[in-house]
Amino acid sequence: MSKKLQQNGLFESSRMMLPEHREAYILHQEKLAPRTRPSLDAQAAEEMSRLLSNSMMLGDAVSITLYHEHDDIRFTGQVLKLDPSVRTLRLLTQSGTRDIQMNLITNVILANE
């Protein structure tokens, strides 16, 4: 009995994992792993550009999805300014204005209001 209480304690002799715990552990590790940035085809990029331009000119609200390593980030608002030289846009949201890098945008849709 005293051998079990040495080094790693009682857990030294009981290295067992339930299948449910193993699946949860694998899902957790997949969430922690960084994702790869999706590549956009020319047609999707053109459609997103059109929606952003319409939002700026007509005042339409758009929902913009941004790439992040672990989870997507979504902002909804109206585009105030497009700056192609710096590749940024300024978005007016309910909480204020945000500057967004265009290379992080993965999806643009019209917002349902």
Side-chain angles (χ1 to χ4, degrees):
M1 182 71 162
S2 64
K3 278 187 163 183
K4 287 185 180 180
L5 297 177
Q6 293 175 356
Q7 295 173 350
N8 200 7
L10 289 175
F11 297 106
E12 188 70 31
S13 63
S14 61
R15 294 181 187 254
M16 184 178 89
M17 187 179 283
L18 294 174
E20 296 86 14
H21 294 166
R22 182 178 180 276
E23 290 172 13
Y25 177 76
I26 290 171
L27 288 174
H28 177 70
Q29 290 300 320
E30 287 175 357
K31 287 181 183 178
L32 292 179
R35 301 180 308 153
T36 58
R37 182 177 298 184
S39 61
L40 300 174
D41 62 345
Q43 186 176 5
E46 184 178 328
E47 177 68 16
M48 289 189 312
S49 176
R50 184 185 63 78
L51 287 171
L52 292 172
S53 296
N54 284 349
S55 174
M56 187 175 71
M57 288 190 248
L58 304 175
D60 297 337
V62 291
S63 182
I64 299 174
T65 306
L66 301 177
Y67 166 79
H68 190 268
E69 288 180 344
H70 300 291
D71 198 16
D72 289 335
I73 302 169
R74 181 168 290 187
F75 294 112
T76 302
Q78 176 189 353
V79 177
L80 296 178
K81 179 181 176 184
L82 287 169
D83 194 355
S85 62
V86 187
R87 298 200 36 83
T88 61
L89 64 89
R90 181 159 291 155
L91 187 71
L92 176 64
T93 63
Q94 290 180 351
S95 61
T97 59
R98 293 191 175 271
D99 290 331
I100 297 174
Q101 295 178 2
M102 289 182 174
N103 62 344
L104 296 178
I105 297 175
T106 59
N107 193 16
V108 177
I109 58 172
L110 284 175
N112 296 333
E113 293 186 344

